[in-house]
Amino acid sequence: MAENDNHNRMTFGGGCFWGMEKHFREEFGSAIRSVQVGYAGGTLANPTYENVCQGDTGHAEAITAIYDPEKVSYRKLLDFFWSIHDPTTKNAQGMDRGTQYRSVVFYHTPEQKTEAENYKKELQASKFNKPIVTEIVEATTFYPAEEYHQNYLKKNPHGYCNHFRRWTQN
């Protein structure tokens, strides 16, 4: 993925990256030009899955994708992101526990930051009784996960996934 794609790049962390990847691919199809699972937001260069699972690198399991803004808006991607995981649980999704499973939007542009912050406020007022703990932070280096993690649930259809759609966009 080229660096000049930042205006059409999204990077989200919301629990196990296997489920995030699967659901984004299924929901948006060709509107998502490319997607990778990996590690974002940490301090260790070139982390491995084992490094990240120790919980001390600061990375979140995340997905990054280039999307086609003619087919899907960033707001719709945000809506879907917030609808397939629980953004009110800190550092946990389902049975997965640790900072690597935190809810986080990594923004690539000032416009994405503003849109994510505004939409988070709207969701807090309209859909959640508990505080949304999703972090909204500037994207830094994204490290692709090992090959066996890419398209994991397609390769392993009975693999663990705790993501499901909680609502649909109005």
Side-chain angles (χ1 to χ4, degrees):
M1 291 184 236
E3 285 302 313
N4 61 358
D5 289 326
N6 280 344
H7 287 312
N8 300 331
R9 180 190 303 267
M10 51 147 264
T11 305
F12 300 141
C16 177
F17 49 27
W18 297 342
M20 294 284 291
E21 176 189 38
K22 173 186 184 275
H23 287 289
F24 270 90
R25 283 186 188 277
E26 288 177 357
E27 180 73 11
F28 297 108
S30 66
I32 301 287
R33 293 183 178 150
S34 63
V35 63
Q36 286 183 308
V37 299
Y39 316 110
T43 57
L44 180 67
N46 302 305
T48 65
Y49 182 69
E50 289 74 24
N51 297 141
V52 173
C53 285
Q54 291 175 6
D56 58 2
T57 68
H59 290 89
E61 285 193 14
I63 64 167
T64 193
I66 302 299
Y67 64 94
D68 183 344
E70 299 293 320
K71 294 181 178 179
V72 63
S73 68
Y74 187 67
R75 181 180 174 93
K76 188 164 186 162
L77 295 167
L78 285 169
D79 181 75
F80 188 73
F81 161 72
W82 268 306
S83 77
I84 63 170
H85 77 290
D86 182 354
T88 67
T89 57
K90 188 165 181 73
N91 301 329
Q93 291 297 313
M95 297 184 311
D96 297 326
R97 302 278 186 256
T99 58
Q100 69 270 32
Y101 299 115
R102 68 188 179 273
S103 178
V104 56
V105 171
F106 295 99
Y107 64 86
H108 295 273
T109 67
E111 295 81 13
Q112 285 183 350
K113 177 183 181 187
T114 299
E115 194 156 3
E117 289 172 341
N118 290 340
Y119 196 47
K120 179 180 172 181
K121 288 176 191 170
E122 288 176 35
L123 287 177
Q124 185 64 68
S126 66
K127 296 209 185 293
F128 292 96
N129 294 325
K130 297 189 296 184
I132 295 174
V133 297
T134 304
E135 298 171 9
I136 299 172
V137 298
E138 187 171 11
T140 57
T141 303
F142 180 88
Y143 297 98
E146 297 80 354
E147 182 55 37
Y148 71 91
H149 288 296
Q150 307 299 328
N151 272 312
Y152 184 85
L153 291 175
K154 185 174 183 179
K155 297 176 208 171
N156 302 279
H158 301 293
Y160 170 72
C161 177
N162 61 17
H163 294 85
F164 60 92
R165 191 75 187 254
R166 289 166 167 77
W167 75 79
T168 56
Q169 189 176 31
N170 298 336

